[in-house]
Amino acid sequence: MSTVVAVDGPSGSGKSSVSREVARRLGLAYLDTGAMYRAATWWCLDQGVPLTDQAAVAQAVRDLPLVVGVDPSGPTVVVDGRDVGVAIRTTEISSRVSAVATNLGARAELGRRQRAVIDAERTGGWSGGRGVVAEGRDITTVVAPDADVRVLLTASEEARLARRARELHGTDDAAAISATHDQVVRRDADDSTVVQFHVAADGVVTVDSSELDLEQTVDAVLDVVERARGTRA
């Protein structure tokens, strides 16, 4: 029996690291939809497409030659034969990805591709039909509202800023948090104009990781998955 786990939430809530570890422990594929938006942003910039030209961005995303590897032990992002896994994590991409994430044409195309990956893992794909953990902004509501398990992973703004500062700068002192603030808070504000990810939709379980470390958060999400599997048995 396949299991599709959808994990939603704001920046810095731990979606990626938690979802990846949950997928690894359950033997499921791992789909980082945020990486797809970053790859699309990188592609537009590489191709000289102005991010302010919404029609051109949407067309570039439709033409995007993207291959996403879903092994949680080593997820990959390849665009036009080039491994862009490191390039898409730069500050330049982080500061500009909202221009693509708020483009409705781009969202529709990437959402279609995300659903295709999820559907493939239900019956085959990398997981052999065991399923997938998919994480991103609108996974629980738009991309996979029919997922077997839907989780809103959230945390206080203070906790999210501190985590992202440690991730990017190796410290969560005042200077690091100040440098991180725009990336977390502004991006959430921008993205919230086109998608809801702060409040759980009906049937979505909220996990608040404000006071939890990575291991505790992973365990909390695994508990949600096991309870859901138990009700399906």
Side-chain angles (χ1 to χ4, degrees):
M1 179 172 17
S2 71
T3 302
V4 174
V5 181
V7 181
D8 214 331
S11 296
S13 60
K15 292 190 305 296
S16 296
S17 52
V18 170
S19 297
R20 184 174 169 180
E21 181 60 16
V22 167
R24 191 188 67 79
R25 294 197 193 179
L26 295 176
L28 305 182
Y30 164 63
L31 178 62
D32 179 356
T33 65
M36 297 175 71
Y37 283 99
R38 288 174 173 271
T41 305
W42 180 90
W43 174 247
C44 287
L45 294 175
D46 182 71
Q47 297 297 300
V49 176
L51 297 184
T52 53
D53 187 336
Q54 296 211 353
V57 167
Q59 185 58 53
V61 173
R62 285 190 286 271
D63 295 337
L64 174 64
L66 172 66
V67 178
V68 177
V70 294
D71 179 349
S73 295
T76 56
V77 184
V78 176
V79 176
D80 199 23
R82 287 175 283 181
D83 184 337
V84 297
V86 174
I88 64 173
R89 302 295 174 183
T90 62
T91 300
E92 180 186 18
I93 298 300
S94 296
S95 66
R96 305 183 76 175
V97 66
S98 284
V100 175
T102 56
N103 183 302
L104 297 183
R107 291 197 76 82
E109 171 60 19
L110 291 177
R112 182 191 66 78
R113 297 190 191 200
Q114 291 155 16
R115 282 187 287 273
V117 173
I118 292 169
D119 289 344
E121 296 298 333
R122 292 182 196 270
T123 56
W126 177 89
S127 70
R130 290 187 300 275
V132 60
V133 178
E135 56 98 348
R137 295 288 202 196
D138 54 1
I139 295 298
T140 63
T141 53
V142 177
V143 176
D146 59 343
D148 304 294
V149 184
R150 294 186 295 155
V151 174
L152 177 70
L153 184 58
T154 189
S156 67
E157 182 175 299
E158 293 77 14
R160 294 187 292 113
L161 280 169
R163 284 176 190 156
R164 189 54 59 85
R166 288 193 296 271
E167 175 187 327
L168 295 176
H169 305 289
T171 178
D172 56 8
D173 62 19
I177 287 179
S178 177
T180 308
H181 188 275
D182 179 69
Q183 187 182 131
V184 173
V185 177
R186 180 195 54 77
R187 187 176 167 208
D188 279 352
D190 288 348
D191 290 359
S192 66
T193 63
V194 295
V195 62
Q196 174 58 259
F197 52 85
H198 289 292
V199 180
D202 289 345
V204 177
V205 179
T206 298
V207 173
D208 189 329
S209 66
S210 300
E211 304 298 327
L212 305 179
D213 61 19
L214 174 61
E215 183 71 20
Q216 291 169 326
T217 309
V218 169
D219 286 343
V221 174
L222 286 170
D223 285 344
V224 175
V225 174
E226 289 309 310
R227 288 199 302 271
R229 282 177 162 178
T231 62
R232 291 165 60 203

